[in-house]
């Protein structure tokens, strides 16, 4: 006879009610696994029903018991699917509210259904159901239907976005993560699988190795173009180095120490090589990036439709699902593959406006361009460059420029993206990623001339001929069959857009960086004149002096670009003087430089280097004329002004605060001293530093700091061929002379008039301590 609720249990001395409370407590604290609970062996169904009413579990624990019982090997999976559907309906509304509820975090919102589902082991049970075919050798196991797999994945995804900890729990199971990739071979389950993988990899502590994915080349080659674009969202997580943030690990000291520990290639670098070894991978990405999209609706309609739809289109999954539904309907109504025109006439057309198709295409181009950009910055850069040129990526982007990449209007809606550092709309993300790609493509690489068309290449040749200087080798070697076609090349189109950009636009930063990268490397007079003829210098000066721009990032990008544009170019200094034609304008310009020397030091370096070269060209009448008239050159020719910059450059950095951003201040200070050494004036500058210390009442501080910085410089640059080549190219001073000057300054001979040690009194000497301990 069954014991009534409340009577003693003969084995434990506990009432059934207290025993059930004890079990539930253990579940919450992880002492009993959810998988055990699903077997229904520890809590009777009647008790669950009773507690369900009070706890508002909405029958989820009982449904999980049914799911466990119906999902044994050789079970009728149709019954299993029925239970999963019931569970899915309970959880899906919570997921939808999460992505539309003003983007509240999981910590700020409570989602009891998904929490209850996970608490009672639902997540573990679904993983077990999905993976069962790979864990059993029985031949007669019933095959899971695509719809059952899709519903299981959707439930897991809902739990991931609604309940804290589920994603991390799944990410810790490498076997499950790798198993998910095998589900991507099925087109019907691809979308749900890809979205779940993306979420899981985003929180996974250790980056996966792509080579561990079973049959990866075959998998990737099986994807259609839309699937491949979607797959790029996943790849972006696997080929990008982890972001170290802005803490002390971001310093060059920490980076150098980390590189010594990790001498072998990182996982991200290994994954990049794995991708490049997949036949046809890069070619297909180039086709995706340059694929055209028809526009059935005008731009004005586009923006209005986006306004109407965006209230719930916060998640790429929603848009993916819409496009998939439209594609499936189109496939049912036509034997041909669904292209843009087929989609536009599908039964879903009234629910899926053409503008959504365009946004969908833009969103995936963002991911494709991001992957290409990362690969361009990796160790295999030259191999990637060769392939991008061969597959005509740049001409393809040039053909898309006016109609898709840089349309006149841009939406201001917010979209959360995996690979962007800020929340921004698809179009804004696309533009930024496009500009980043151009920057990576042009930077210190001879393929940069592919950004021009044949007529523009001829213009560069004519500039060199007129100036009686040889054409640069990279220009001569450019394969003209791979350059841009049409009336304008990509660089020229970018310049036109740049000059029209509103004063407060954040695109100004990225545009300036992209154009600057075209000039970086060995200084080319023809490249500079090409851009000067298109009014770039006047545009930059307007932005710095007249536009009222307050953004430090934008100003820094314009200072750097101005430095590259003017360096060693007497015509540029003449044009500068023509624009800055009043004392008021010149003072505004100087104030902008002095307000943040970290941002403007590259321009200061350019002026110092150019002045030194012009002073050695006094036989040229034009040079002499500009030297005497240019307010900027006259200002820098005064030794007290050069010393003022030197004092500040040495004083605003130290070894512990050096980063990739401010190490240029150290190199600029070195340029000033190298040029002084050439003229035999190095002792004068060092003595001036000493006098500055005493006048400021901190003897030894400035020179000891500079000594430590130069010791770090030796460790950092002497073993880095790429960085040393950049210094040599940008300054036109041989790296040998850089090294010699640093050695002379660091000499321990206190009788040497060119050694820093000679200018520090014994009482303030602090040169022997390792700067790593400072």
């Amino acid at each position: 006879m069954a014991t009534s609720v409340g009577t003693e249990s003969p084995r434990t001395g506990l009432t059934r009610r207290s025993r059930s409370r004890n079990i539930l407590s253990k579940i919450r604290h992880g002492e009993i696994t959810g998988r055990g609970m699903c077997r229904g062996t520890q809590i009777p169904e009647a008790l669950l029903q009773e507690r369900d009413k009070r706890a508002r579990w909405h029958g989820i624990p009982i449904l999980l018991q049914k799911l466990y019982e119906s999902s044994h090997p050789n079970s009728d999976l149709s019954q299993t699917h029925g239970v999963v559907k019931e569970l899915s309906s309970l959880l899906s509304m919570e997921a939808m509210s999460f992505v539309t509820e003003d983007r509240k975090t999981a910590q700020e919102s409570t989602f009891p259904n998904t929490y209850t589902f996970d608490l009672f082991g639902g997540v573990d049970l679904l993983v077990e159901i999905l993976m069962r075919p790979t864990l059993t050798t029985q031949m007669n196991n019933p095959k899971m239907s695509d719809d059952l797999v899709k519903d299981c994945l959707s439930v897991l995804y809902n739990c991931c976005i609604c309940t804290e900890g589920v994603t991390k729990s799944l990410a810790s199971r490498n076997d499950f993560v790798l198993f998910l990739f095998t589900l991507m071979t099925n087109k019907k389950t691809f979308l749900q699988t890809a979205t779940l993988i993306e979420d899981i990899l985003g929180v996974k502590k250790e980056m996966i190795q792509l080579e561990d994915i079973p049959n990866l080349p075959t998998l990737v080659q099986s994807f259609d173009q839309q699937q491949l674009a979607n797959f790029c969202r996943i790849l972006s997580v696997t080929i990008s180095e982890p972001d170290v943030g802005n803490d002390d690990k971001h310093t060059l000291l920490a980076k150098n120490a980390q590189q010594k520990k990790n001498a072998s290639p990182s996982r991200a670098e290994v994954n990049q090589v794995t991708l490049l070894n997949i036949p046809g991978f890069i070619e297909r990405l180039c086709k995706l990036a340059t694929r055209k999209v028809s526009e059935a609706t005008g731009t004005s309609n586009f923006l209005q439709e986006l306004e109407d739809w965006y209230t719930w289109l916060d998640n790429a999954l929603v848009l993916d699902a819409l496009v998939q539904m439209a594609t499936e309907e189109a496939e049912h109504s036509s034997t041909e593959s669904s292209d843009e025109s087929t989609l536009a006439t599908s039964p879903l057309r009234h629910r899926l406006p053409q503008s959504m198709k365009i946004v969908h295409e833009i969103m995936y181009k963002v991911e494709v361009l991001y992957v290409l950009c990362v690969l361009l910055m990796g160790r295999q850069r030259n191999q990637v460059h060769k392939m991008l040129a061969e597959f005509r990526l740049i001409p393809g982007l040039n053909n898309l420029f006016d109609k898709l990449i840089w349309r006149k209007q841009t939406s201001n809606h917010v979209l959360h993206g995996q690979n962007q550092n800020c929340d921004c709309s698809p179009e804004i993300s696309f533009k930024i990623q496009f500009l980043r790609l151009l920057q990576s493509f042009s930077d210190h690489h001879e393929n940069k001339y592919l950004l021009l068309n044949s007529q523009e290449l001829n213009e560069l040749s004519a500039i060199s001929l007129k100036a009686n200087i040889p054409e640069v080798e990279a220009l001569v070697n450019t394969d003209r069959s791979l350059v841009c076609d049409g009336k304008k090349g990509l660089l020229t189109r970018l310049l036109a857009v740049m000059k029209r950009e509103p004063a407060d636009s954040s695109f100004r930063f990225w545009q300036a960086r992209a154009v600057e990268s075209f000039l970086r490397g060995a200084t080319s007079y023809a490249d500079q004149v090409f851009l000067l003829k298109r009014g770039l210098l006047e545009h930059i000066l307007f932005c710095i002096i007249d536009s009222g721009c307050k953004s430090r990032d934008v100003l820094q990008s314009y200072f750097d670009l101005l430095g590259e544009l003017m360096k060693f170019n007497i015509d540029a200094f003449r044009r500068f003087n023509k624009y800055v034609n009043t004392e008021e304008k010149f003072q505004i310009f100087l104030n902008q430089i002095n307000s943040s020397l970290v941002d403007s030091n590259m321009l200061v370096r350019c002026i110092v280097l150019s002045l030194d070269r012009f002073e050695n060209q006094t036989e040229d009448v034009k040079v002499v004329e500009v030297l005497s008239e240019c307010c900027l050159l006259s200002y820098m020719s005064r030794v007290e002004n050069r010393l003022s910059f030197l004092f500040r450059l040495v004083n605003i950095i130290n070894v512990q605060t050096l980063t990739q951003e401010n190490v240029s201040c150290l190199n600029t200070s070195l340029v000033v001293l190298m040029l002084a050494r050439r003229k035999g004036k190095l002792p004068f500058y060092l003595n001036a530093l000493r006098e500055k210390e005493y006048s400021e009442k901190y003897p030894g501080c400035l020179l000891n700091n500079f000594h430590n910085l130069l010791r770090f410089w030796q460790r950092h640059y002497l073993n880095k061929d790429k960085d040393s080549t950049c210094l040599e190219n940008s300054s036109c001073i041989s790296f040998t002379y850089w090294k010699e000057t640093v050695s002379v300054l660091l000499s321990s001979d206190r009788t040497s008039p060119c050694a820093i040690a000679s200018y520090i009194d014994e009482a303030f000497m602090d040169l022997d301590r390792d700067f790593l301990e400072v």
Side-chain angles (χ1 to χ4, degrees):
M1 182 174 162
T3 310
S4 61
V5 175
T7 61
E8 272 193 342
S9 165
R11 292 189 179 183
T12 65
L14 296 173
T15 66
R16 284 188 178 180
R17 193 175 298 247
S18 63
R19 185 153 49 101
S20 69
R21 282 198 297 268
N22 190 34
I23 291 172
L24 292 171
S25 175
K26 287 183 177 181
I27 294 172
R28 291 191 184 95
H29 291 91
E31 297 173 38
I32 295 177
T33 65
R35 195 173 298 174
M37 284 305 305
C38 291
R39 297 190 178 97
T41 58
Q42 298 183 345
I43 298 183
E45 183 173 330
L47 179 58
L48 283 177
Q49 287 177 338
E50 180 189 340
R51 292 299 298 256
D52 192 294
K53 294 175 183 177
R54 297 188 209 168
R56 295 182 180 176
W57 286 335
H58 299 102
I60 289 174
I62 295 173
L63 283 172
L64 284 173
Q65 285 183 336
K66 290 180 180 178
L67 181 61
Y68 177 80
E69 291 163 1
S70 68
S71 62
H72 288 295
N74 302 316
S75 299
D76 179 5
L77 293 182
S78 61
Q79 187 178 354
T80 302
H81 194 188
V83 180
V84 172
K85 281 183 176 179
E86 283 190 68
L87 288 165
S88 180
S89 65
L90 287 168
L91 306 182
S92 60
M93 291 306 295
E94 287 181 0
M96 183 58 74
S97 67
F98 180 82
V99 298
T100 57
E101 196 182 279
D102 296 328
R103 301 175 188 88
K104 286 185 178 180
T105 62
Q107 291 82 354
E108 293 173 338
S109 304
T110 55
F111 296 98
N113 284 357
T114 48
Y115 174 78
T116 304
F117 180 82
D118 182 44
L119 177 68
F120 283 88
V123 170
D124 285 330
L125 180 56
L126 285 190
V127 169
E128 183 180 315
I129 291 171
L130 284 169
M131 293 189 67
R132 185 169 292 150
T134 68
L135 303 175
T136 178
T137 57
Q138 295 183 33
M139 300 295 292
N140 297 323
N141 271 344
K143 186 179 183 301
M144 291 180 65
S145 69
D146 294 337
D147 289 336
L148 174 56
V149 173
K150 283 169 64 174
D151 286 337
C152 287
L153 292 171
S154 295
V155 170
L156 288 177
Y157 178 72
N158 290 342
C159 290
C160 284
I161 62 176
C162 294
T163 302
E164 186 181 9
V166 172
T167 316
K168 289 182 179 179
S169 172
L170 293 176
S172 66
R173 295 194 54 172
N174 284 326
D175 58 339
F176 180 63
V177 175
L178 293 176
F179 164 75
L180 283 176
F181 282 94
T182 66
L183 297 182
M184 298 182 83
T185 56
N186 188 336
K187 188 172 184 178
K188 292 185 177 179
T189 60
F190 175 90
L191 185 59
Q192 288 75 13
T193 309
T195 311
L196 183 58
I197 292 175
E198 185 186 353
D199 259 35
I200 290 174
L201 295 187
V203 302
K204 193 168 175 59
K205 288 183 178 179
E206 193 174 47
M207 188 178 291
I208 67 164
Q209 290 293 127
L210 291 178
E211 59 189 14
D212 292 338
I213 298 173
N215 303 314
L216 178 65
T218 305
L219 175 67
V220 172
Q221 289 168 351
S222 73
F223 293 154
D224 61 29
Q225 288 295 76
Q226 182 172 311
Q227 288 174 320
L228 182 60
N230 206 325
F231 190 58
C232 284
R233 295 213 307 239
I234 294 169
L235 293 180
S236 63
V237 183
T238 69
I239 61 175
S240 306
E241 298 292 353
D243 184 12
V244 296
N246 295 317
D247 56 14
D248 59 350
K249 294 179 182 178
H250 196 53
T251 65
L252 291 181
L253 267 182
K255 280 187 174 182
N256 288 354
Q258 192 65 33
Q259 286 172 358
K260 286 182 180 179
K261 288 181 183 178
N262 303 327
S264 57
S266 66
R267 287 201 164 198
E269 290 170 334
V270 172
N271 284 341
Q272 290 173 25
V273 173
T274 300
L275 286 181
L276 292 175
N277 288 335
I278 298 176
F281 176 72
I282 296 295
E283 182 178 9
R284 292 187 67 192
L285 289 195
C286 289
K287 288 180 179 178
L288 269 173
T290 58
R291 182 173 65 179
K292 293 184 178 180
V293 182
S294 62
E295 293 195 51
T297 56
T299 304
S300 58
N301 291 338
F302 167 81
L303 291 174
Q304 183 56 50
E305 286 178 341
L306 190 57
E307 182 74 42
D308 295 339
W309 282 68
Y310 202 82
T311 53
W312 62 280
L313 265 177
D314 180 58
N315 190 293
L317 178 66
V318 179
L319 190 49
D320 287 338
L322 280 172
V323 172
Q324 179 173 297
M325 288 165 61
T327 303
E328 288 173 354
E329 287 195 10
E331 285 174 346
H332 288 138
S333 62
S334 173
T335 57
E336 298 178 1
S337 61
S338 60
D339 57 14
E340 285 82 359
S341 59
T342 310
L343 179 61
T345 58
S346 75
L348 265 181
R349 178 62 186 89
H350 65 287
R351 283 173 282 159
L352 182 65
Q354 177 66 14
S355 57
M356 289 299 98
K357 174 60 181 171
I358 298 167
V359 173
H360 190 254
E361 180 74 16
I362 286 174
M363 286 168 64
Y364 284 121
K365 286 190 188 300
V366 171
E367 306 299 338
V368 172
L369 293 183
Y370 179 83
V371 169
L372 291 175
C373 190
V374 173
L375 293 174
L376 265 177
M377 295 187 291
R379 290 192 180 187
Q380 315 302 315
R381 186 186 187 208
N382 287 333
Q383 179 187 352
V384 177
H385 244 291
K386 183 178 179 182
M387 289 191 282
L388 297 188
E390 179 186 346
F391 301 132
R392 295 180 55 81
L393 174 69
I394 298 302
L397 291 175
N398 187 44
N399 292 333
L400 285 179
F401 190 87
D402 290 330
K403 290 188 176 180
L404 187 66
I405 297 174
W406 220 276
R407 303 198 282 186
K408 291 183 180 180
Q409 291 178 284
T410 298
S411 65
N412 294 316
H413 297 291
V414 175
L415 180 81
H416 295 258
Q418 178 68 40
N419 303 315
Q420 284 71 48
N421 294 324
C422 62
D423 292 336
C424 45
S425 75
E427 282 201 289
I428 291 173
S429 300
F430 186 34
K431 287 176 169 62
I432 291 175
Q433 214 54 258
F434 165 76
L435 293 170
R436 287 187 65 198
L437 179 73
L438 289 195
Q439 178 186 352
S440 303
F441 187 86
S442 301
D443 193 24
H444 291 90
H445 202 281
E446 60 186 17
N447 274 352
K448 68 180 185 179
Y449 291 110
L450 298 183
L451 270 65
L452 309 181
N453 64 19
S454 293
Q455 185 178 348
E456 291 163 348
L457 293 179
N458 292 338
E459 184 180 340
L460 284 177
S461 300
I463 292 170
S464 298
L465 182 63
K466 183 178 179 181
N468 197 26
I469 57 176
E471 293 182 74
V472 295
E473 189 177 350
L475 177 60
V476 175
N477 293 337
T478 297
D479 184 345
R480 296 201 170 213
S481 69
L482 302 177
V483 301
C484 295
D485 42 30
K487 294 181 179 179
K488 295 179 181 178
L490 199 47
L491 180 65
T492 305
R493 291 180 189 276
L494 178 57
L495 288 173
V497 163
M498 188 175 176
K499 294 193 322 192
R500 294 196 303 264
E501 203 64 39
D504 57 351
S505 170
S506 59
F507 289 129
R508 284 187 172 212
F509 170 82
W510 297 104
Q511 290 165 342
R513 281 282 178 259
V515 177
E516 184 210 344
S517 68
F518 181 80
L519 291 170
R520 292 183 71 182
T523 303
S524 166
Y525 173 80
D527 294 353
Q528 291 173 322
V529 172
F530 179 85
L531 296 174
L532 287 171
K533 288 170 66 177
R534 285 156 175 79
L536 180 60
L537 184 136
E538 289 78 7
H539 172 71
I540 298 171
L541 292 175
F542 169 81
C543 293
I544 294 174
I545 298 172
D546 300 315
S547 72
C549 177
K550 303 294 183 185
S551 167
R552 292 314 316 173
D553 287 340
V554 172
L555 285 171
Q556 180 188 353
S557 67
Y558 275 105
F559 283 134
D560 291 348
L561 175 54
L562 188 62
E564 292 294 339
L565 187 62
M566 295 181 67
K567 192 190 303 174
F568 307 130
N569 193 306
I570 198 69
D571 299 321
F573 280 89
R574 172 180 279 171
R575 294 177 79 130
F576 175 94
N577 210 51
K578 187 176 180 181
Y579 186 92
V580 185
N581 54 8
T582 66
E583 182 62 25
E584 182 186 6
K585 278 189 172 183
F586 186 57
Q587 286 305 317
I588 293 173
F589 183 75
L590 286 180
N591 289 340
Q592 290 282 44
I593 289 178
N594 288 317
S595 63
S596 180
L597 200 53
V598 171
D599 297 331
S600 62
N601 83 88
M602 295 294 286
L603 176 59
V604 171
R605 189 191 307 182
C606 147
I607 302 167
V608 170
L609 285 166
S610 300
L611 175 66
D612 180 75
R613 176 174 292 191
F614 297 154
E615 288 177 338
N616 294 319
Q617 297 175 339
T618 51
E619 72 285 352
D620 189 322
V621 176
K622 183 170 70 171
V623 171
V624 174
E625 180 184 319
V626 176
L627 269 174
S628 63
E629 293 178 354
C630 181
C631 56
L632 189 56
L633 291 173
S634 298
Y635 180 86
M636 196 60 77
S637 67
R638 293 194 282 275
V639 68
E640 64 270 22
N641 292 331
R642 292 201 299 276
L643 280 171
S644 175
F645 281 124
L646 179 62
F647 296 151
R648 292 167 58 203
L649 286 167
V650 173
N651 202 37
I652 59 180
I653 51 175
N654 60 59
V655 173
Q656 282 69 37
T657 60
L658 277 181
T659 66
Q660 203 67 49
E661 291 297 313
N662 62 28
V663 72
S664 57
C665 293
L666 174 57
N667 290 323
T668 298
S669 66
L670 261 176
V671 165
V672 174
L673 293 177
M674 281 191 295
L675 298 180
R677 181 183 170 220
R678 277 183 179 174
K679 296 179 179 179
K681 294 182 179 180
L682 187 53
F684 172 80
Y685 279 76
L686 293 176
N687 190 59
L689 287 172
R690 171 187 163 86
E691 290 179 358
K692 179 70 172 176
E693 288 181 332
Y694 275 88
S695 68
E696 299 288 340
K697 301 193 179 345
Y698 52 94
C701 183
L702 201 64
L703 289 169
N704 277 304
N705 181 52
F706 192 43
H707 195 278
N708 279 333
L709 285 165
L710 293 180
R711 288 165 63 202
F712 173 84
W713 187 95
Q714 282 186 323
R715 292 194 190 182
H716 182 75
Y717 281 100
L718 296 188
N719 298 316
K720 295 192 175 181
D721 293 338
K722 181 182 176 183
D723 289 352
S724 60
T725 302
C726 289
L727 287 181
E728 188 171 86
N729 285 339
S730 67
S731 65
C732 288
I733 298 174
S734 73
F735 192 65
T736 301
Y737 196 75
W738 283 81
K739 290 189 294 183
E740 286 176 0
T741 304
V742 172
S743 296
V744 167
L745 289 166
L746 291 179
S747 172
S748 58
D749 181 5
R750 296 199 49 153
T751 65
S752 169
C754 294
I756 292 174
S758 302
Y759 297 86
I760 307 176
D761 292 342
E762 194 78 45
F764 307 113
M765 189 78 69
D766 189 22
L767 303 183
D768 296 327
R769 189 156 44 133
D770 191 335
F771 56 74
L772 290 169
E773 300 173 1
V774 174

